[in-house]
Amino acid sequence: MSNFYLVKRFMTRIPFTGSPSLPIQAALQLMQKHGFRHLPIEEGGKLIGIVSDRDILSVGSISEIFRKTLGDIMIKNPFHVGPETPVDQVIRDMNEFGFGSTVVVDENNSILGIFTEKDAMKVYCEFMAEQETYDLHANPTLRKIVQ
């Protein structure tokens, strides 16, 4: 894949973020309202953790959801990459380690975006569309079939 396939091109820019002091219940409402499953946690403008909907569901009782904060359940120092990271490497790492997302940060560890499984599907669709275009132009038989 070329430089055209850098993670910065496919990430969700400026995602919602939470603070470690945000109540789990409030984070769950935010995630449900806006339809996302991963919430980067920042403090002082820097990435410090991430929480997924599965993390919230594993909290236990309803009373714990109302009592605990994101800081109690977040994954500290989550998988993250820089914006110039090739997207194929990000996808391979996510697959190998079982991550549903990765946070994209700058050199100061400030959050720029998030790359999720959904974004990986966009990469796949675009890549496959390019392959079909390439085959179409390179193969005169295919060109005749689609005309």
Side-chain angles (χ1 to χ4, degrees):
M1 288 189 175
S2 69
N3 286 341
F4 185 65
Y5 285 96
L6 299 177
V7 73
K8 69 182 178 183
R9 182 163 175 264
F10 296 95
M11 70 183 183
T12 300
R13 296 179 190 281
I14 313 170
F16 287 95
T17 62
S19 71
S21 61
L22 185 67
I24 293 173
Q25 180 243 353
L28 183 59
Q29 288 175 339
L30 179 71
M31 293 168 83
Q32 288 174 335
K33 179 179 179 183
H34 295 285
F36 57 90
R37 299 181 309 169
H38 304 94
L39 184 64
I41 310 302
E42 64 180 347
E43 190 169 58
K46 311 288 183 209
L47 174 68
I48 62 165
I50 194 164
V51 170
S52 73
D53 56 351
R54 288 183 310 221
D55 298 324
I56 292 173
L57 293 174
S58 68
V59 167
S61 69
I62 296 292
S63 65
E64 287 184 84
I65 288 176
F66 284 97
R67 187 172 45 86
K68 291 186 174 184
T69 65
L70 294 181
D72 296 324
I73 66 167
M74 72 180 181
I75 305 298
K76 294 180 175 133
N77 302 312
F79 178 57
H80 60 279
V81 298
E84 301 293 322
T85 307
V87 74
D88 57 318
Q89 182 62 52
V90 175
I91 293 169
R92 274 197 299 274
D93 289 346
M94 286 172 62
N95 184 57
E96 181 178 343
F97 298 110
F99 300 136
S101 67
T102 183
V103 183
V104 182
V105 297
D106 66 14
E107 61 279 351
N108 298 314
N109 211 35
S110 297
I111 299 170
L112 300 174
I114 189 166
F115 183 85
T116 66
E117 294 165 321
K118 186 176 178 180
D119 297 317
M121 291 304 297
K122 291 179 202 171
V123 173
Y124 174 76
C125 290
E126 187 166 313
F127 180 76
M128 292 309 296
E130 286 181 7
Q131 296 309 304
E132 290 178 16
T133 301
Y134 171 78
D135 289 342
L136 178 65
H137 295 299
N139 187 321
T141 304
L142 286 177
R143 207 170 28 236
K144 287 179 185 175
I145 291 171
V146 296
Q147 287 179 346

